[in-house]
Amino acid sequence: MTPMTVEGGNPQTMATPARSARRAVAGRLSWGLADQAASSLSNFVVGVYVARSLGVAAFGVFSLAWVTYGVVLNVSRGLATDPLVVRFSGVPTASWRAAVARSSGTALGLGSALGAACLLVGLALGGPVGPAFACLGVVLPGLLLQDAWRYAFFAAGTGRKAFVNDLVWGVALVPAMVLAARVGSVAAFVLAWGGSAAVAAGFGCLQSGIRHRVSQARGWLRKQRDLGYRYLVENVALSGASQLRAYGLGAMVGVGAVGAVRGAELLLGPFLAVLMGLSLVTVPEAARVLRRAPNRLGAFCLLLGGGQAAAALLWGGALLLMPDRLGELVLGGVWPAASQLIVPITLGVAGAGLGTGAAAGLRALAAARRSLRCQLFASACYVGGGLGGAAVAGTVGSAWGVAAATVSGSAVWWLQLRSALDEDHRNPIPEVRTP
């Protein structure tokens, strides 16, 4: 076939618009996967290093601080950054910059307010848990601002910048963790982890060239309240369920059980980290698919969820073949307890991965009521299964209860997405061009 030519240029094969669009999507998803790989590796290394340095009991205390951070992070995402990726993905640069200034300012303001509360709670608690929570309060502003920059970059379709930002965090973690190991306390590790995130947050300001405006946070919350408050409840239900399960498991079985669960989760860390930050990539892409080819949204979500579930099952199968010597090398004294939980936690992660495909579709459709309904159901099942299983069969029973709950929740997500796609008169996504 004779190559087509462009007037005034050299002969070249012209790509069709559809092919160019697919390449653009593949490029953005590739940067998303690279960013999640960097984030996963950092989380994995931190968890393994802390587990080997502190032992199962102290690692349980660190895990309680970790899941508390997860709750606060999801508050920030619901109010500050989830509306950003739904309404400001692929918009003109001026609109994006103005929205990011308010969104990042909201995240920083939330981090400061909730960090102060966490600091006070930690000082009041005392004991082995109090210092960890007090230090968490100190580092929360930096942690939330760093996450806000990642959301902003993916909304703009510049995932490369998010990847570089996570690399900066990873590099800053190395000397911070070495210093924390010399101190040898949970509080030192929390400060090292959060302090290195603050370095990446500062670098994010340089990358974006945007000044976060805390003073405009109230205006952002007011204009995005139709989505923000529903996403807040949805996100807090998700992370709050995890926190309630961790606290309940610690009270019913012991803090060592929390460390065992966290250790098993570390072995599946790449997929758990992807699930935690999935909306960085998939919601903006699902929103673009909806605008350009609405009939393809369902297939996109199915491919997304099915691929994650299959990958989690393959990874879990590989973990079952891992010799005890290698497991002890990775997790130290946490390995014997964590190894018993690989099968149920793998099934739970696979179920959650399948559900995230439907969740991305509902977010793209701005079907906040449907997604909220799904998340409340899934969270109730998670807490009930986790604590009910713990009452019957301890740590292993809790893991199997969570696995069953996650698979059930995934089914509800897909039923709701199917209903939303089948509606003849769906409400359009609010096209907010000015924040």
Side-chain angles (χ1 to χ4, degrees), residues 225-244:
R225 63 181 179 273
D226 59 323
L227 293 182
Y229 291 121
R230 288 193 176 96
Y231 288 158
L232 168 65
V233 176
E234 181 180 330
N235 290 355
V236 170
L238 171 65
S239 54
S242 177
Q243 190 174 28
L244 286 175

Side-chain angles (χ1 to χ4, degrees), residues 67 237-247 249 261-262 265 272 345 348-349 352 374-390 397-409:
V67 297
L238 171 65
S239 54
S242 177
Q243 190 174 28
L244 286 175
R245 185 252 186 141
Y247 289 165
L249 186 61
V261 170
R262 177 61 185 154
E265 290 175 346
L272 291 172
I345 286 184
V349 172
C374 292
Q375 191 57 68
L376 290 176
F377 174 82
S379 297
C381 289
Y382 184 93
V383 174
L387 297 185
S398 178
W400 277 107
V402 165
T406 304
V407 172
S408 300

Side-chain angles (χ1 to χ4, degrees), residues 306-392:
Q308 282 196 99
L313 291 174
L314 289 174
W315 185 269
L319 290 176
L320 292 175
L321 301 176
M322 187 168 67
D324 289 338
R325 183 178 301 178
L326 182 57
E328 291 172 357
L329 179 64
V330 174
L331 293 180
V334 180
W335 166 253
S339 61
Q340 302 177 35
L341 309 178
I342 291 176
V343 172
I345 286 184
T346 296
L347 293 176
V349 172
L354 184 61
T356 55
L362 288 175
R363 284 286 176 96
L365 291 165
R369 290 186 179 182
R370 288 185 180 275
S371 61
L372 175 59
R373 194 179 307 144
C374 292
Q375 191 57 68
L376 290 176
F377 174 82
S379 297
C381 289
Y382 184 93
V383 174
L387 297 185
V392 174

Side-chain angles (χ1 to χ4, degrees), residues 128-193:
V129 176
F133 275 74
C135 291
L136 177 64
V138 172
V139 299
L140 272 178
L143 284 164
L144 297 192
L145 182 58
Q146 192 272 341
D147 188 71
W149 291 132
R150 296 174 69 214
Y151 267 75
F153 294 142
F154 277 107
T158 55
R160 175 181 56 85
K161 291 185 178 181
F163 172 72
V164 172
N165 194 275
D166 269 329
L167 282 184
V168 170
W169 187 0
V171 171
L173 267 172
V174 175
M177 285 287 145
V178 172
L179 291 175
R182 292 183 179 179
V183 177
S185 67
V186 176
F189 279 106
V190 172
L191 285 176
W193 164 57

